[in-house]
Every structure is written in C-alpha cells, then in structure tokens.
Amino acid sequence: MSAAPEKAVAGRLSFLDRYLAVWILAAMALGLGLGRLVPGLGDALAKVTVTGVSLPIALGLLVMMYPVLAKVRYDRLDTVTRDRRLLLPSLLLNWLVGPALMFALAWLFLPDLPEYRTGLIIVGLARCIAMVIIWNDLACGDREAAAVLVALNSVFQVIAFSALGWFYLSVLPGWLGLEQSGGLGSPLLERSRELGGVSVWEIARSVLIFLGIPLAAGYLTRRIGEKAKGRAWYESKLIPRVGPFALYGLLFTIVILFALQGDAITSQPLDVARIALPLLVYFALMWAGSMALGRSVGLEYPRATTLAFTAAGNNFELAIAVAIATFGATSGQALAGVVGPLIEVPVLIGLVYVALYARRFFTARTPLTEEDPAHV
C-alpha cells in the first residue's frame, strides 16, 4: 500500500514532533552529561521522593501522561472492555509471558552476575503503566484501548507484584536447581515479609500517583471542556494547546532520569552492556510477538499496536523504587533497573517507526486522519 497518508501527516508536524527521536537521544545525552559533570546532582535530585521515585521524575511523568489521557474519548471505553481478543491476550502477555521471558533471559545472559540478574527480573515483573501511553499515541494506537489496558495492568500490579516477585526470585530458582548465592541470598530473603506486605501499599500508592492523578485530570478536563464548549471545540482548540506538553514532559523526565544515574552508567560501561543485551532481546521478542499475536487473532492495526506496546513496556519507576528500597541506591539491582529505561526509551521509539511501517500489513487498515497522533 502507499505510504502517502503517513507522509501527508508528517508534513503537518511541528519541528519538535518531526525530529522527536533526535530530541530523545539528545535528552538522554544531556542527562548523562549532567549526571557525570555536575558533582552531587544525582544525590540532590534523589533527596525528595514520591513513593521512592525522585520528585522531579514524578512531576515529569504526570505532565507527560496528562495530555494523552485528556485525549481519550471515555464514552468509547465500553467498546474496549467487550473486546476479548484484546483483553485476554493482554493479560496472558503481561502476567505470564513477560515475567517468564525476562526470568529466562536474565539467567541465560547473566548467570554469573546475580545482582544484575535480580534487577532485571524485577523490571520484568513491573508492567508498564506510564510511558507506554506515549509510545502508543506516537504509533497511532487505540487511545481508549491503551487507557483500559493500563488500568487493568495497574490493578493486577497491586495484586500480583509481590506474589510474582516471591515466586520468580525465591521459589522458581529453587525448583529449577539454579544457584541463588549473591542474588537474593541476603537482602531480599531477609525482607521477604516486607515485600509481601508493605510493598503492596507502596505499589498501590505508585499506581494512584502515576496513573490515578493524570487519569482523573484527563477525564475531568474532557468532561468539563465538552460540557462547556462541545466536543468540536475541545478537540480542535483545547487539545492542540495541551498536547505538546506530553512531549515536553517526556523529554524532561528523560533528562532527570539519566542525570540521576549518569555517573553510575558512564563509569560502568561493560556492566551496562551486559545488562542491555537481554533487555534488547526482551523488548524485541515481546513487541514483535505481541504484534503478530494481535494480527493473528484479528485485531486491527490500532489495537494490535496497543497490545504490542503495553506488553513490551515496563514500569521502570516502580522497578527502580523496589530495587532501591530493598537493596539500596548503589546496588547492582538498582543499576539494572536504571539501565531499563536507558534501553527501553530508544528501542521503543524505534519500534514506533516500525509499527507505522507495519500498518500496510493489516488488511483492515484505518487511514490516518487529522486526529491521528503520528508525531514521528
């Protein structure tokens, strides 16, 4: 099929939107540079936290998520909740396939580095509730479907994270006869009761802050705006004004995130490379497999794309918070958590381009319109 619609939309993009990949890479480089060159910057940024996450990062995430959730047409959510072809594969991919795949890759690639291995397993258990909304929007995925799947992930995260952590970090290695010395041995097993109890509340707070606040703000903005001025005004006037703040929040979050760990990342390049390899394999397999599964069960492009990005993304803020709370800010587990977004951000922005190209392979392809969020 012709790519003319994509080119037509690209021609209408702003300078910031058209070169988004460049700005993301520049934000990563700026954050790493600041963290490396400014003494004590990481410690200063980390002093004020919300649920174990730096306050600047928390603010960036809230700014990033609010505009996208303000775009959601909440009166269409029932069409998503009735779609079993979407909901059942999403639950399967997120809570069975994803954690198991990360566990397998962590042991395969890092058999001699138990701290990093444990950190990666924690990343695999933290299913995405934040940045996936941005990647889905950029790839012209289904906004309403993304809102429902993110909410579903949030509920399961509160219920299942601690139990899955206990299973993958304590039980399964023993069943398989895998050596655990140096990984879970001391801190996690000593604090297993805390991970099974207190962390549930910590996870719930994380979900309420990073999803609940922007979701409530987005819903109220649409409800009040449409009631006062109508849907046409809301989507043609208000949304274009608040929409760019999603990208500003994304870039700000990336700068702060990498500034926090700039010194650790740049001073241990070989360790970062070892951690990065299984992450690259994970993101590629999860995204491609989910996209193929969506197509095979008959999903159209927007919902297949949403399925792929919600399955491939991870909740790095939760993973980092759990790793720091359990093992300490300077631990190998915490470094593995930080490397997660270092790899996830450029890989998933690359997959946005791949997704847009893959539109042509879906028979029920929906043409791009003025409302499509094709910011690439």
Side-chain angles (χ1 to χ4, degrees):
M1 293 185 179
S2 171
E6 285 90 341
K7 292 181 179 179
V9 171
R12 297 193 298 268
L13 298 178
S14 69
F15 183 73
L16 176 65
D17 294 340
R18 190 174 304 175
Y19 297 101
L20 177 62
V22 176
W23 309 138
I24 287 178
L25 292 175
M28 293 170 62
L30 176 60
L32 289 172
L34 289 173
R36 182 73 177 180
L37 298 175
V38 180
L41 178 61
D43 293 336
L45 291 173
K47 283 184 178 179
V48 183
T49 63
V50 176
T51 67
V53 179
S54 166
L55 180 59
I57 290 181
L59 292 175
L61 289 170
L62 293 176
V63 172
M64 176 185 74
M65 294 176 66
Y66 161 69
V68 180
L69 290 169
K71 294 178 183 178
V72 172
R73 293 181 176 179
Y74 293 92
D75 55 347
R76 296 183 180 178
L77 293 184
D78 61 329
T79 65
V80 180
T81 57
R82 295 196 303 264
D83 192 348
R84 294 185 178 180
R85 295 175 305 169
L86 175 67
L87 297 182
L88 294 180
S90 178
L91 289 175
L92 173 69
L93 290 165
N94 273 289
W95 298 103
L96 292 179
V97 177
L101 177 61
M102 188 69 89
F103 174 87
L105 292 173
W107 275 96
L108 178 64
F109 285 94
L110 302 171
D112 58 328
L113 297 171
E115 291 189 358
Y116 297 154
R117 184 176 65 235
T118 298
L120 282 185
I121 293 172
I122 293 173
V123 170
L125 297 175
R127 312 313 299 168
C128 196
I129 65 168
M131 279 194 177
V132 68
I133 293 177
I134 290 289
W135 310 135
N136 178 76
D137 212 44
L138 294 173
C140 302
D142 187 315
R143 288 179 185 140
E144 289 71 37
V148 169
L149 294 186
V150 163
L152 196 62
N153 272 350
S154 300
V155 172
F156 271 80
Q157 199 140 242
V158 173
I159 296 171
F161 184 89
S162 296
L164 287 174
W166 169 74
F167 176 74
Y168 280 104
L169 297 175
S170 299
V171 177
L172 188 57
W175 286 357
L176 299 177
L178 298 172
E179 167 128 19
Q180 299 184 63
S181 62
L184 300 179
S186 47
L188 186 54
L189 292 181
E190 290 172 2
R191 302 183 65 178
S192 59
R193 292 185 180 179
E194 179 181 347
L195 287 172
V198 177
S199 64
V200 171
W201 169 236
E202 292 172 349
I203 294 166
R205 284 191 302 169
S206 176
V207 170
L208 288 173
I209 290 173
F210 295 121
L211 177 62
I213 292 175
L215 181 61
Y219 173 79
L220 290 174
T221 300
R222 177 172 281 277
R223 185 173 180 84
I224 295 171
E226 287 190 354
K227 186 175 181 179
K229 297 282 189 175
R231 173 163 291 187
W233 173 88
Y234 182 86
E235 296 189 346
S236 65
K237 299 296 183 181
L238 184 61
I239 288 299
R241 293 179 182 177
V242 302
F245 283 92
L247 299 182
Y248 302 151
L250 173 63
L251 296 176
F252 174 79
T253 302
I254 291 171
V255 171
I256 298 300
L257 179 66
F258 290 108
L260 277 167
Q261 294 289 338
D263 186 65
I265 292 172
T266 55
S267 63
Q268 303 177 64
L270 293 180
D271 287 352
V272 170
R274 288 285 305 272
I275 299 168
L277 186 56
L279 283 168
L280 286 171
V281 176
Y282 172 83
F283 291 132
L285 290 178
M286 283 298 294
W287 188 90
S290 302
M291 196 75 163
L293 177 61
R295 188 176 187 275
S296 68
V297 299
L299 293 178
E300 296 182 1
Y301 171 83
R303 290 193 176 177
T305 298
T306 300
L307 178 67
F309 279 101
T310 52
N314 292 91
N315 186 354
F316 66 82
E317 59 270 19
L318 174 60
I320 293 171
V322 170
I324 291 175
T326 307
F327 300 98
T330 60
S331 65
Q333 291 88 345
L335 177 60
V338 171
V339 174
L342 173 70
I343 304 303
E344 179 176 344
V345 169
V347 168
L348 291 190
I349 191 63
L351 289 174
V352 167
Y353 288 90
V354 176
L356 291 173
Y357 177 82
R359 289 173 70 103
R360 65 199 68 203
F361 300 111
F362 285 77
T363 54
R365 181 182 175 199
T366 305
L368 286 170
T369 69
E370 292 283 347
E371 296 179 359
D372 271 327
H375 298 299
V376 293

